[in-house]
Amino acid sequence: MIPYGKQFVSDEDIREVIKVLQSDWLTTGPKVAEFEEMFADFVGTRHAVAVSNGTAALHCIMYALGIRKGVEVILSPMTFASTANCVVFQGGYPVFADVEADTLLIDPEAVRSKITLKTKAIIAVDYAGQPCNYDALIDIAKQNDIYLIADSCHALGAEYRGQKAGSIANLSAFSFHPVKHITTGEGGMVTTDSFEFAKRMRRFRNHGIDADFRKREQQGTWYYEMIDLGYNYRITDFQCALGISQLKKLPQWIRRRQEIAQRYTRAFADNPAISPLKLRKDVSHAFHLFVVKINSKNIGLNRAEIFSALRKEGIGANVHYLPVHLHPYYRQNFANDIGDCPVAEDAYQQIISLPIFSAMSDNDVAAVIKAINKVTHFNALS
Ligand SMILES: *Cc1c(COP(=O)(O)O)cnc(C)c1O
């Protein structure tokens, strides 16, 4: 089975991890700071704060912004549940704004229509690895004096008008789960230009305590204070060693993902059953996912039938995502229902994510194309 996504860990990566395991620091040591600096450099922000996973990164952001009871945060429903969960962790109210049909990125006009006096932030999700319409979103954020947040967990290495994903919004979140562009096993990062936000998040990831153990050791002092309620969202030094080693290979990995996407796009161009999502003109797409819509009307087969036919052919297709507002938890606790985001709901009936990852071979790509042609009864030569 060719999976939809898969990590690549080299011998060099493994050596870097072992070095740290043999050193004095297993957690919150020099590798955390080194990874943060390298990441901030890559993305082009002043600060990067490393945490234990992408969900923790989003939670840190909500804390830094002061999201609390009585506050609303507008977000896209085409995302992983934790984008919304992080709002709820802090007592905020998630408000879902619909997406654009051709890209499945949050629709700025839908965002505008959801703004109230309680709105404090917008979370844009760079779905599949394509940056959102940031010019429009920045305008809305400025006009309403609210924060713009990017869930860029799909978009490490992507660019919007020449600017790297992670450097556009006030704060941006990344994940290093094994299916993402680079991995640390579990891991996450927040990028921001704000020193104040970075400071608050460093405290939040460490129980709300103002200095970490290493700093105390350097200062030769036993004293510490807990300033606010925080969590243990720390990442280990050996994970960061893996992250540093992986990040070095990211540019070539992105190029490989873009190459695979191009092959798919060309191969499906004449197939009436398959439509890849639209590529925006002003972006460099990082292709965490390659999402296609199944045009059921054109072939008389629905998404579920295509999905299981692909699985039978050994293609580990997947579906990203059931729109978050439709999860039972969000229906029961936040008065969401079918019909709230009709574009996302309609797209959900049609989408399939095809395998794409940096270590995918040309043979694997050809096998996916062949399987798609077979299950959609498309004769590529005709
Ligand atoms: C992966 C992902 C997350 C959560 O990251 P974890 O590291 O798994 O906690 C959040 N949002 C999006 C869009 C993601 O893809």
Side-chain angles (χ1 to χ4, degrees), residues 52-56 58 78-83 125-126 151-154 174-177 179-180 186-188 288 321:
S52 50
N53 55 68
T55 305
L58 288 162
M78 287 307 280
T79 186
F80 184 58
S82 69
T83 317
V125 178
D126 297 328
D151 180 338
S152 293
C153 288
H154 293 185
F174 293 92
S175 163
F176 309 127
H177 182 277
V179 297
K180 306 291 163 68
E186 299 279 356
H288 164 58
Y321 297 91

Side-chain angles (χ1 to χ4, degrees), residues 4-217:
Y4 85 90
K6 192 178 173 210
Q7 76 278 9
F8 179 75
V9 176
S10 69
D11 290 346
E12 188 192 7
D13 292 342
I14 292 165
R15 278 197 296 277
E16 291 302 316
V17 173
I18 290 172
K19 269 195 236 161
V20 174
L21 291 173
Q22 291 166 331
S23 78
D24 288 340
W25 294 105
L26 290 192
T27 190
T28 320
K31 287 293 173 190
V32 175
E34 190 184 330
F35 186 35
E36 288 178 340
E37 274 166 38
M38 188 179 168
F39 199 91
D41 236 40
F42 176 82
V43 164
T45 51
R46 288 209 191 101
H47 309 280
V49 178
V51 290
S52 50
N53 55 68
T55 305
L58 288 162
H59 191 184
C60 284
I61 292 173
M62 292 300 114
Y63 170 79
L65 296 183
I67 300 304
R68 59 192 150 69
K69 200 167 168 13
V71 161
E72 294 175 356
V73 177
I74 298 172
L75 74 151
S76 167
M78 287 307 280
T79 186
F80 184 58
S82 69
T83 317
N85 295 352
C86 71
V87 178
V88 182
F89 291 161
Q90 288 303 101
Y93 200 96
V95 175
F96 297 95
D98 213 347
V99 294
E100 295 173 338
D102 51 0
T103 59
L104 305 189
L105 298 172
I106 198 163
D107 179 347
E109 286 319 304
V111 171
R112 221 182 267 281
S113 75
K114 298 282 178 180
I115 295 213
T116 72
L117 290 172
K118 292 180 186 166
T119 309
K120 183 135 182 178
I122 303 163
I123 309 178
V125 178
D126 297 328
Y127 178 77
Q130 171 152 252
C132 297
N133 183 352
Y134 280 106
D135 279 0
L137 293 170
I138 287 168
D139 277 350
I140 296 170
K142 281 193 178 144
Q143 282 160 12
N144 294 281
D145 196 21
I146 58 179
Y147 293 107
L148 179 61
I149 304 307
D151 180 338
S152 293
C153 288
H154 293 185
L156 178 56
E159 290 175 14
Y160 176 79
R161 305 205 163 164
Q163 247 184 302
K164 282 256 161 46
S167 69
I168 301 157
N170 296 109
L171 300 117
S172 305
F174 293 92
S175 163
F176 309 127
H177 182 277
V179 297
K180 306 291 163 68
H181 290 85
I182 66 168
T183 191
T184 58
E186 299 279 356
M189 191 78 82
V190 181
T191 53
T192 182
D193 279 332
S194 160
F195 172 78
E196 196 50 40
F197 283 153
K199 194 172 98 179
R200 285 172 66 85
M201 293 187 294
R202 286 180 204 286
R203 197 169 74 203
F204 190 65
R205 77 172 167 190
N206 190 35
H207 310 282
I209 291 170
D210 66 343
D212 63 33
F213 177 74
R214 192 160 146 261
K215 269 194 213 144
R216 292 207 302 279
E217 177 102 329

